[in-house]
């Protein structure tokens, strides 16, 4: 028998007022912030890893960046967002938080940006941006991850689409899902990483650099 969502959610610890406000905002405005059971696993892994620097691709309204910063009191986070409206929303919520001094928001497309000349290395990279571009993000940003560093990749389940036979995937989504499958096969066969899939939230892949 599969574990129910209600049972899983019963283990989630309380969050502060700002985080609750952001969760409500995200729900009302259809902002795809990470699902609670998945972000709790991400945060718990980060407590264990204890990185001092994190790169996040896909800030949205800044929810996951603020949560990571609140979880790790010394961490410095660089987070990238390309959507102007979300950038404004992220700035608003960051300014209300007590962790804004440790979060740098870079505005633009992560695939076109020169991050490495200013920030040459990170202990952790969290990829949570355009689906179907996993391999491109991975290829551009994995060289910045130190040995024993970790890449965390959200949305490997694609709301169930990636778990379907490709002929059952709606036609307009097939290219994206095929690219996801190619990325998944490539990373699982890649001996440079210990890669583990966590079947939680929308599917979290964790890759430890050997
Ligand atoms: N990490 C956030 C949710 C991110 S949602 C949280 O859990 O709180 C994904 C975001 O990635 C969207 O806001 C989208 O605009 C952004 N995005 C997608 N592709 C991008 C790219 N190539 N460069 C920068 N941002 C991108
Ligand atoms: Mg996500």
């Amino acid at each position: 028998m599969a574990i129910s969502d209600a049972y899983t959610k019963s283990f989630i610890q309380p969050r502060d007022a700002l985080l609750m406000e952001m969760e409500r905002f995200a729900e009302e405005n259809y902002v795809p912030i990470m699902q609670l059971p998945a972000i709790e696993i991400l945060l718990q892994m980060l407590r264990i890893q204890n990185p001092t620097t994190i790169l996040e691709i896909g800030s949205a309204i800044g929810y996951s960046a603020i949560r990571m910063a609140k979880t790790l009191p010394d961490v410095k986070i660089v987070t990238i967002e390309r959507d102007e409206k979300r950038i404004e929303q992220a700035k608003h919520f960051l300014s209300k938080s007590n962790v804004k001094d440790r979060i740098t928001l870079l505005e633009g497309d992560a695939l076109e940006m020169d991050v490495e000349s200013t920030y040459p290395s990170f202990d952790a990279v969290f990829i949570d941006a355009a689906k179907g571009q996993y391999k491109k993000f991975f290829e551009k940003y994995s060289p910045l991850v130190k040995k024993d560093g970790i890449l965390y990749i959200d949305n490997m389940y694609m709301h169930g689409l990636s778990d379907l036979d490709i002929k059952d995937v709606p036609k307009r989504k097939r290219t994206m899902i095929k690219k996801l499958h190619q990325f998944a096969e490539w990373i699982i066969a890649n001996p440079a990483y210990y890669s583990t899939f966590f079947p939680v939230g929308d599917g979290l892949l964790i890759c430890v650099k050997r």
Side-chain angles (χ1 to χ4, degrees), residues 32-34 126 128-129 131 154-155 202:
I33 63 169
M34 205 178 191
F126 173 40
D128 191 17
K131 323 311 169 200
D154 190 33
N155 303 102
D202 198 32

Side-chain angles (χ1 to χ4, degrees), residues 93-109:
F93 285 118
L94 279 170
S95 73
K96 289 178 79 172
S97 79
N98 55 3
V99 291
K100 61 174 179 299
D101 296 344
R102 293 186 288 114
I103 299 176
T104 305
L105 176 62
L106 303 181
E107 304 174 21
D109 189 319

Side-chain angles (χ1 to χ4, degrees), residues 9 19-20 30 35-36 50 116 129 140 162 164 172:
K9 288 207 173 115
L19 294 171
M20 299 292 284
Y30 307 101
Q35 296 175 34
L36 283 174
N50 198 22
E116 42 279 39
K140 181 161 161 53
S162 60
L164 295 176
R172 62 179 201 288

Side-chain angles (χ1 to χ4, degrees), residues 32-34 58 60 63-64 81-83 86 108-110 128-130 137:
I33 63 169
M34 205 178 191
Y63 178 76
S64 51
E81 177 55 54
R82 69 174 175 192
D83 183 276
R86 298 238 167 108
D109 189 319
D128 191 17
F137 288 125

Side-chain angles (χ1 to χ4, degrees), residues 20-75:
M20 299 292 284
E21 182 192 338
M22 292 180 80
E23 288 167 18
R24 258 195 321 276
F25 179 92
E27 192 167 344
E28 284 164 10
N29 295 280
Y30 307 101
V31 183
I33 63 169
M34 205 178 191
Q35 296 175 34
L36 283 174
I39 198 160
E40 293 298 337
I41 288 187
L42 172 69
L43 297 174
Q44 192 75 314
M45 296 303 296
L46 289 171
R47 284 186 194 97
I48 298 167
Q49 184 198 357
N50 198 22
T52 47
T53 51
I54 301 176
L55 172 67
E56 173 181 73
I57 304 167
S59 332
I61 61 171
Y63 178 76
S64 51
I66 290 174
R67 290 217 61 183
M68 294 191 287
K70 283 178 187 272
T71 298
L72 303 171
D74 297 317
V75 80

